[in-house]
Amino acid sequence: MKSKKIFKSLIIIFTLLISGIGFMGFSSPQKAEAKDWLHTYKSGYFTNYVINTYHPKFTKTTKKYTLRAVTFKSNSKGKGTYKIYVQKQVNGKGAWKTIKTANAKKNGTTYFETPSLKKGDSYRFKMVNQGSKKRVNYSARWIVFAS
């Protein structure tokens, strides 16, 4: 009995150790190297809408970047979909322009990628709940791929 507990503890420690080492291998959240990638994560909830804005910093050699493997996992007591608008703002000035629209499942996973953005462009995810305004919990993951 005691050896099973020790074995389970060792597996948990090993898993945490491996995930910690893997996490430390990524670029810092402040700067993505040219021809490199950066994993980004955000979670939360909303009832009507929510906006998450990002201002990525890159090295001097970076010219453009894309958001790849964008994954939104959602759950809600409501049924149906909500809209995800990926918008950009050129050099932090002017109006936000929608570059990608996706219909996300309130209970499920949605995947998409975006067109290229130029260095200096900010981007944001604007999530708008349609129909029933029941709470939607979400977790989002994506890769900022710079080149």
Side-chain angles (χ1 to χ4, degrees), residues 2-41:
K2 192 172 186 177
S3 63
K4 285 185 180 180
K5 286 184 179 180
I6 292 172
F7 182 70
K8 287 181 182 179
S9 297
L10 287 173
I11 289 176
I12 291 171
I13 290 170
F14 180 73
T15 304
L16 291 172
L17 187 68
I18 294 298
S19 65
I21 290 169
F23 179 74
M24 290 173 60
F26 299 137
S27 301
S28 76
Q30 298 300 317
K31 235 178 212 187
E33 298 298 324
K35 297 183 181 170
D36 205 356
W37 44 273
L38 169 70
H39 280 271
T40 309
Y41 175 81

Side-chain angles (χ1 to χ4, degrees), residues 101-118:
T101 303
N103 286 321
K105 302 168 194 163
K106 287 185 182 177
N107 291 291
T109 305
T110 304
Y111 305 95
F112 61 89
E113 294 190 358
T114 68
S116 293
L117 298 150
K118 292 181 182 173

Side-chain angles (χ1 to χ4, degrees), residues 66-125:
T66 58
L67 307 180
R68 295 196 177 165
V70 181
T71 305
F72 275 81
K73 290 183 181 179
S74 307
N75 66 42
S76 174
K77 291 183 180 178
K79 297 189 186 319
T81 62
Y82 63 93
K83 293 271 190 195
I84 300 174
Y85 299 97
V86 182
Q87 299 177 321
K88 76 172 185 174
Q89 186 180 46
V90 179
N91 293 322
K93 299 176 184 171
W96 289 92
K97 179 183 174 188
T98 300
I99 59 171
K100 178 78 175 180
T101 303
N103 286 321
K105 302 168 194 163
K106 287 185 182 177
N107 291 291
T109 305
T110 304
Y111 305 95
F112 61 89
E113 294 190 358
T114 68
S116 293
L117 298 150
K118 292 181 182 173
K119 178 182 173 181
D121 289 351
S122 299
Y123 68 94
R124 71 182 186 182
F125 295 108

